[in-house]
Amino acid sequence: MTIFIPTAVPATLASDANHLAMVHGKSLDDAKMWANPMWADAAGNLYVLRQLWAPEWWIHRVSTIEPTRPEWDTDVAVDLAAAERARAALDVLTFDLEADSSIYLARPDRAVAIIGGGPELFELVMVDGDQ
Amino acid sequence: MIGIGLSLTGVRNEFSPASLFANGEQGGIWLPSPETCFTDTAATTQAGAGDAVAGITDLSGRGNHATQATIGLRPILAREPATGRRNQLPNSRGDGAAIGVLGAGGALPTGWSISGIAANAVEIVSIAQKNDLPRIRVRLNGTPSGTVFLNTISPSAGVSASTGQIWTSSLYYERVGGTETNISTINVAIGESDIAGGAVSASLSDSLLGHVGNVRRSVTRTLTGVNTARTFMYLRFGISGGPIDVTFDISAPQLENSLTATNVQITGVNGADVTEAGQPDRWSFFGGGAANPRWMQSPTIDFTGTDKMTVWAGVRKLSDAAAGMVVELSASTASNNGAFALSAPNSAAANFSYASKGTVAAEAVASPFAAPISAVLTAQGDILGDLSRITVNGGSPVDVVADQGTGDYGDYALFFGARGGTSLYFDGHCYGIIVRGAATPLATIQRTERFMANRTPRVTLP
């Protein structure tokens, strides 16, 4: 079943993450997946906050399968090394009240996806959402 | 002759928005539905409820079909009853359930969970329809470690709610096998929690223990927690000790901001598909604001032959936390001449607004209209006539007659749900948009408003 999966990607990892998005996407357009970092943590680090619309198994596959060149990428536009850096920096967490009620803060060195939670769990504030 | 006469009468009474473009006016009609929406930009695969939409057909005849190439930025096609969505559970239908023992092939519906008993003591026996409602048959066969909670939504995800609100949870329950030995009470429950999922407190329905037959049981709670941010519901089995072996059907769980349990609504695909018996479907695009941006873009549309514009939109605005663009001509009205912007809201404020610009922008702001709120918006722009007007639900228009400078509207793409695809992401549902590059007579404006109101749940025009 397709669900919303909130993700927080630090701005410094966004470029790598977009190469990973292209690996699992369908065209160069998927390089726009994590764009416009407009959220910040308490230390001022910038993030792209996005909710993916995908099956739960898909995000697990993204986080565990070594990136390979997608069939559509005949121009060799996807940087597989960047995609692998993003994959290695991706944490897929499952929010479970009974097991752990702690808040999942965004991390400046990791990309985080949370299954079963909402984007507020990252405790980020919008810094560039208006104009 | 009589037959022809009746037919003509019928045609006269039936309004088609395509008639807005009968004289060569530029613009478009975008009305989300499976008939107009596709999951690929080539427009070959029809979209269904819950699908991410790659393209939508322009029904005006102008060929201004809108698209979104990036998979993760595509609007979600959502369905809800004409009366609007009340059941806030994301998955009352039971999507994702699988027959078998949990952990050995069996699975609870997506988003559901169970605690107080080992997974291997829980079996999904069957999945079927019961009284035209989806039902799941569950067997609990083991020794619980304590009270057993069957959550129909994760308490941590929950449904956004606040203190003082009154919520009701309900579901159908019937014991179909086993016994109630060692079970002291069976209740439908409603809980509330703070933002971190903590500080849980709950109310319980009358017990279902000993009840024969399929019964809908509900419980209503006024939320009281100082920091309450969420509500959730579950089926609760009080345990008196020792092993239990009970098989029961559960169907139509419902969680609603209401004093009572209302007609059953079935929800699925994470809340993007909501249906109710006897109610026609209403379709919309969903985008989730800056945290879940989803938007579309038309081809460039040449409005250089007109300095007058009429725009209609049916929307449900879900947040006033930040500015959201319903539709904007050009990548930014702030930086382009001959542009317009219909916003919901125009900043972190409880409003709707319409800005029209020749070389100078003039913005009409209608307020207060606090989210969540559904509305039919009508915007009228006249550059040389210096008019920016916005009308909400056919009420009194807000006019701004400040100078808009000179020129006609431009030759730009329309952006739906964002400014230029890079900011001001709309948070809510859009049931339809019509953009007409012309002034429109009042009677035609009102007929089009009625047309749009009929597509937009919860809106009643004067």
Side-chain angles (χ1 to χ4, degrees):
Chain A
M1 179 189 161
T2 306
I3 59 173
F4 281 123
I5 304 171
T7 63
V9 174
T12 51
L13 269 176
S15 175
D16 289 353
N18 284 328
H19 283 280
L20 186 59
M22 285 193 284
V23 165
H24 296 278
K26 292 185 176 176
S27 72
L28 276 175
D29 288 311
D30 290 293
K32 302 169 190 168
M33 185 75 85
W34 284 279
N36 306 315
M38 57 172 67
W39 300 78
D41 60 19
N45 301 300
L46 288 175
Y47 297 84
V48 181
L49 188 56
R50 286 291 320 277
Q51 289 209 73
L52 304 180
W53 177 250
E56 190 173 325
W57 56 260
W58 181 86
I59 190 69
H60 287 300
R61 189 183 73 180
V62 170
S63 70
T64 53
I65 303 296
E66 186 175 341
T68 56
R69 189 163 305 284
E71 283 187 18
W72 60 263
D73 186 24
T74 52
D75 293 336
V76 195
V78 176
D79 181 344
L80 292 179
E84 172 56 20
R85 284 195 301 271
R87 189 193 69 81
L90 173 62
D91 295 328
V92 178
L93 308 174
T94 300
F95 189 86
D96 182 347
L97 178 71
E98 287 79 15
D100 180 2
S101 63
S102 63
I103 295 174
Y104 295 94
L105 297 174
R107 292 179 50 178
D109 59 338
R110 306 288 293 174
V112 179
I114 303 178
I115 294 167
E120 72 283 350
L121 297 173
F122 293 120
E123 286 216 323
L124 299 172
V125 296
M126 189 184 292
V127 293
D128 188 26
D130 196 352
Q131 309 304 327
Chain B
M1 290 298 289
I2 292 173
I4 293 171
L6 288 173
S7 175
L8 287 174
T9 302
V11 168
R12 275 201 300 271
N13 288 341
E14 192 173 311
F15 171 70
S16 167
S19 64
L20 296 168
F21 299 88
N23 296 314
E25 296 88 343
Q26 257 300 4
I29 302 171
W30 300 272
L31 305 174
S33 79
E35 287 72 38
T36 58
C37 292
F38 301 87
T39 57
D40 58 331
T41 49
T44 57
T45 306
Q46 257 191 342
D51 283 339
V53 176
I56 180 171
T57 303
D58 165 24
L59 297 173
S60 74
R62 294 289 170 272
N64 293 320
H65 314 306
T67 56
Q68 172 53 268
T70 306
I71 294 171
L73 297 174
R74 292 173 178 171
I76 305 297
L77 184 61
R79 171 166 64 170
E80 67 188 291
T83 46
R85 178 185 181 184
R86 296 184 306 278
N87 189 356
Q88 301 301 325
L89 291 179
N91 182 22
S92 80
R93 190 165 65 196
D95 293 347
I99 292 171
V101 174
L102 301 193
L108 286 167
T110 303
W112 295 30
S113 60
I114 194 165
S115 61
I117 192 167
N120 62 12
V122 181
E123 178 184 2
I124 307 301
V125 178
S126 63
I127 303 163
Q129 292 286 113
K130 186 171 189 171
N131 299 333
D132 293 326
L133 299 174
R135 69 107 175 104
I136 294 167
R137 181 162 294 173
V138 183
R139 181 183 184 188
L140 306 178
N141 182 20
T143 302
S145 56
T147 303
V148 175
F149 300 95
L150 176 56
N151 300 307
T152 59
I153 182 174
S154 161
S156 58
V159 170
S160 292
S162 57
T163 194
Q165 290 180 339
I166 300 173
W167 285 75
T168 296
S169 68
S170 57
L171 56 76
Y172 280 95
Y173 173 90
E174 181 177 16
R175 184 174 66 84
V176 295
T179 71
E180 293 174 332
T181 300
N182 293 330
I183 299 174
S184 58
T185 181
I186 304 170
N187 314 91
V188 179
I190 184 167
E192 59 182 289
S193 62
D194 64 19
I195 193 76
V200 173
S201 54
S203 299
L204 307 181
S205 72
D206 294 340
S207 180
L208 290 153
L209 201 67
H211 197 92
V212 176
N214 191 31
V215 59
R216 191 184 195 199
R217 192 56 59 89
S218 69
V219 57
T220 299
R221 178 181 175 85
T222 302
L223 308 185
T224 56
V226 174
N227 296 314
T228 287
R230 305 188 179 290
T231 183
F232 54 93
M233 68 172 286
Y234 51 94
L235 183 63
R236 179 183 187 275
F237 293 82
I239 304 299
S240 54
I244 64 171
D245 185 359
V246 61
T247 303
F248 59 89
D249 289 345
I250 178 174
S251 60
Q254 184 147 318
L255 180 59
E256 54 194 311
N257 188 188
S258 166
L259 297 169
T260 58
T262 64
N263 290 348
V264 168
Q265 293 188 332
I266 300 300
T267 67
V269 206
N270 212 28
D273 189 10
V274 183
T275 55
E276 180 179 343
Q279 290 292 334
D281 296 331
R282 295 291 181 259
W283 296 88
S284 64
F285 275 164
F286 170 73
N292 187 14
R294 293 172 185 281
W295 56 276
M296 279 204 166
Q297 175 177 354
S298 78
T300 56
I301 302 177
D302 188 355
F303 287 110
T304 55
T306 180
D307 71 328
K308 297 175 176 54
M309 190 68 65
T310 316
V311 183
W312 296 264
V315 299
R316 181 164 181 78
K317 179 176 66 162
L318 293 176
S319 172
D320 288 322
M325 198 58 70
V326 176
V327 56
E328 182 166 31
L329 179 61
S330 87
S332 171
T333 303
S335 54
N336 292 308
N337 292 334
F340 72 78
L342 181 63
S343 304
N346 74 340
S347 61
N351 65 32
F352 296 110
S353 92
Y354 176 69
S356 175
K357 180 181 181 184
T359 51
V360 182
E363 183 175 23
V365 180
S367 65
F369 291 100
I373 188 171
S374 300
V376 168
L377 309 175
T378 307
Q380 295 166 260
D382 185 338
I383 294 173
L384 296 184
D386 291 329
L387 175 68
S388 281
R389 168 179 289 173
I390 185 165
T391 308
V392 180
N393 293 336
S396 299
V398 176
D399 288 354
V400 168
V401 295
D403 179 32
Q404 295 183 28
T406 58
D408 289 331
Y409 290 101
D411 183 8
Y412 303 115
L414 285 164
F415 289 84
F416 305 98
R419 166 163 284 178
T422 59
S423 66
L424 308 193
Y425 302 106
F426 177 59
D427 188 349
H429 292 261
C430 182
Y431 301 90
I433 290 178
I434 299 173
V435 176
R436 180 173 188 257
T440 305
L442 179 61
T444 307
I445 284 178
Q446 291 175 334
R447 283 202 298 184
T448 311
E449 286 172 339
R450 288 197 294 275
F451 172 86
M452 198 61 84
N454 189 45
R455 297 186 55 84
T456 309
R458 302 169 193 269
V459 167
T460 305
L461 299 182

